[in-house]
Amino acid sequence: MQVRQEIFDTYWRFAAMRQEVFFNKINNVPPPWTSDPIINTYKFCNAYRASDRVSQYLIKKVIYDQNRSQNEEEVILRILLFKIFNKIETWEYLENKIGDYITLSNFDSNVYSDILQEAMNLGYVIYTSAYMSCASKEFGYDKKHQNHLALLDKMVAQDRVVNHIVKAKNFEDVFKIIQEYPLLGKFMAYQLATDINYSEIINFEENSFTIAGPGAERGISKCFVDTDGKTYTDIIHWMTENQEKEFQRLGLNFQSLWGRPLQAIDCQNLFCETDKYCRAAFPELKSNRKKIKSKFTSTPHAIDYFYPPKWCINDKVQESLAQRLPTLEITNLQILNNSNCQQLSLELDSQVKTTSEIPNNVSKQYKKSEQETQRKKSKVLQNIEIEKHKQLCLF
């Protein structure tokens, strides 16, 4: 194989930097969490798929919540329903309107459809923007969500797909069972198989099967000049198997997920994120995607990370969370939009700042706030109004 060296190395550097950001945020280190201006400015997924906010919600709240049934049929319904929309707000809207936990006993595709239609009428977007889902009238309905709910009814209630999944001999068989259904393409079927594998329904080795999504294919094309006939899947497996050697070659201190190395699904995702990163770092590379869609924003609420218990890392995770620094008291903050993720934003001197200026400005402003805190602890957070020319942004 022939690599495009600068881009290939960027793949590994990005993985290390993104994981550095992950641990800096866990430890309540004040921003900026990396010196890289692109990562500081744009939204990127975590190096580990299971660490992303939506995956964490799925694992902790949808799959393993102790107040929910662990019956296999109940778990499969919850996973499929949550992931079809892949949006926390949609899940919570449904449960709020139902007035109870989502279960097989109260799952009614028509009732759920009416609830989601009501949400859309109010202006809510019920689907994730992370990826496009199929939108045909496979089940005869005009609306996309109606067909998806009819699909879930067929899979869970009529076909009892969980009975086929638990009999699967390997991870690829699970993928094939899901892929047989309409409205679910190859990549979506792979994502759903991975999510089901987070649960106790099945327990297959993640590295035993993988496929590349469209974003990963673009990333692979940027990293490799010639793949020497190897498939996208072959390349993802090669990256998974050679990660330690590549990090060592570049002198990178990659912080694994409490001892868990990158899995094939993670290396697949990293190709997608590398494709996004290159749009800003190497715009001369030809691609059908030229810009990164989303700027970086996040809630100020820390995530209490939790992973599938069978990974045997949760004790280490809890030790790390217990040792995190206390949340810093920062003066002169204004909550700009409490209903929209409670983002706090940064705007200095009413000037348009370049990407490379942002990290230094955040650092200087933080130091100034820290000094002010020491002098006037008794007045912390009393002045809510911020001068228009001096806002501090915490993500």
Side-chain angles (χ1 to χ4, degrees):
M1 295 187 295
Q2 182 181 355
V3 302
R4 187 175 282 107
Q5 198 65 54
E6 189 174 17
I7 311 303
F8 180 77
D9 291 349
T10 294
Y11 174 99
W12 301 109
R13 291 194 174 99
F14 173 86
M17 287 189 293
R18 187 62 186 84
Q19 194 66 352
E20 178 186 28
V21 169
F22 172 75
F23 278 108
N24 282 341
K25 290 173 70 177
I26 279 183
N27 293 324
N28 284 333
V29 174
W33 298 300
T34 175
S35 59
D36 185 272
I38 298 175
I39 294 179
N40 278 332
T41 304
Y42 296 101
K43 181 180 179 180
F44 292 97
C45 294
N46 277 288
Y48 288 85
R49 178 183 187 267
S51 295
D52 285 330
R53 183 178 68 95
V54 176
S55 291
Q56 276 294 300
Y57 190 94
L58 169 72
I59 295 167
K60 189 173 183 179
K61 301 290 188 180
V62 177
I63 298 176
Y64 287 104
D65 187 334
Q66 294 182 354
N67 293 316
R68 298 182 188 273
S69 170
Q70 291 304 304
N71 173 275
E72 292 173 345
E73 290 184 299
E74 296 282 359
V75 174
I76 200 77
L77 167 67
R78 297 200 302 266
I79 293 172
L80 294 176
L81 178 58
F82 180 83
K83 289 298 295 186
I84 283 291
F85 301 98
N86 203 39
K87 195 164 184 176
I88 295 170
E89 294 80 4
T90 300
W91 176 267
E92 292 184 343
Y93 189 90
L94 273 170
E95 290 207 321
N96 286 335
K97 286 295 181 179
I98 293 166
D100 198 355
Y101 292 117
I102 288 171
T103 64
L104 279 169
S105 62
N106 64 36
F107 175 70
D108 183 313
S109 59
N110 292 322
V111 172
Y112 280 36
S113 175
D114 289 343
I115 292 173
L116 294 179
Q117 185 60 56
E118 174 188 71
M120 290 188 290
N121 291 342
L122 293 172
Y124 291 105
V125 177
I126 63 172
Y127 284 92
T128 180
S129 60
Y131 52 78
M132 297 294 291
S133 53
C134 296
S136 69
K137 299 180 181 180
E138 180 69 31
F139 291 88
Y141 295 101
D142 292 330
K143 299 294 181 65
K144 178 178 175 179
H145 71 282
Q146 292 176 306
N147 288 286
H148 277 142
L149 290 170
L151 168 65
L152 290 183
D153 184 73
K154 176 173 175 54
M155 293 178 74
V156 178
Q158 299 175 37
D159 294 354
R160 303 186 73 176
V161 68
V162 71
N163 292 336
H164 301 288
I165 290 174
V166 297
K167 294 177 183 177
K169 295 180 179 180
N170 52 55
F171 196 21
E172 185 174 4
D173 283 349
V174 178
F175 161 78
K176 289 178 178 178
I177 291 169
I178 298 170
Q179 192 191 9
E180 288 178 356
Y181 285 92
L183 303 178
L184 302 175
K186 287 197 305 180
F187 186 62
M188 185 63 174
Y190 175 45
Q191 298 295 308
L192 289 175
T194 300
D195 293 317
I196 295 169
N197 202 40
Y198 287 159
S199 75
E200 297 297 325
I201 294 174
I202 53 175
N203 187 22
F204 293 116
E205 172 61 47
E206 282 193 19
N207 290 336
S208 63
F209 175 74
T210 189
I211 62 169
E217 291 179 0
R218 291 192 298 269
I220 291 171
S221 297
K222 288 180 178 179
C223 288
F224 291 86
V225 178
D226 182 6
T227 60
D228 195 28
K230 294 188 183 300
T231 65
Y232 292 128
T233 294
D234 292 335
I235 292 171
I236 293 169
H237 282 309
W238 188 93
M239 301 291 272
T240 307
E241 294 162 3
N242 289 274
Q243 58 185 284
E244 186 175 348
K245 182 178 70 175
E246 292 300 321
F247 286 130
Q248 290 177 351
R249 176 179 65 82
L250 293 167
L252 297 171
N253 179 27
F254 178 75
Q255 302 177 69
S256 68
L257 194 70
W258 290 279
R260 181 180 175 86
L262 294 166
Q263 305 292 297
I265 184 72
D266 305 315
C267 289
Q268 189 279 150
N269 283 1
L270 281 167
F271 271 122
C272 183
E273 299 308 291
T274 300
D275 168 58
K276 286 164 53 179
Y277 184 90
C278 287
R279 296 175 207 170
F282 307 100
E284 67 277 8
L285 287 175
K286 292 183 178 180
S287 174
N288 61 347
R289 301 284 181 91
K290 300 183 185 301
K291 295 181 179 180
I292 304 174
K293 291 190 303 182
S294 302
K295 291 292 183 73
F296 175 70
T297 61
S298 77
T299 72
H301 304 297
I303 297 175
D304 289 328
Y305 287 91
F306 178 85
Y307 297 90
K310 56 190 169 185
W311 291 3
C312 299
I313 63 173
N314 282 326
D315 286 346
K316 296 177 182 178
V317 174
Q318 290 306 309
E319 288 177 9
S320 295
L321 295 179
Q323 295 171 8
R324 71 170 72 175
L325 295 171
T327 303
L328 293 171
E329 292 180 336
I330 307 296
T331 59
N332 294 339
L333 294 183
Q334 180 185 28
I335 296 178
L336 297 179
N337 190 347
N338 190 48
S339 63
N340 186 19
C341 297
Q342 298 183 352
Q343 179 193 358
L344 301 176
S345 82
L346 171 63
E347 184 180 340
L348 299 173
D349 300 326
S350 297
Q351 296 178 3
V352 176
K353 299 298 181 181
T354 63
T355 298
S356 61
E357 291 173 317
I358 292 174
N360 289 332
N361 285 335
V362 176
S363 179
K364 290 176 182 177
Q365 187 69 10
Y366 165 70
K367 289 177 182 177
K368 183 176 179 180
S369 294
E370 187 180 46
Q371 293 168 358
E372 183 69 10
T373 302
Q374 294 300 320
R375 291 195 302 267
K376 299 182 179 181
K377 282 189 175 180
S378 63
K379 295 184 178 180
V380 170
L381 297 179
Q382 289 182 2
N383 182 11
I384 301 301
E385 291 297 326
I386 300 177
E387 299 174 13
K388 291 184 179 179
H389 69 286
K390 259 184 196 176
Q391 278 181 325
L392 178 66
C393 185
L394 275 185
F395 297 103

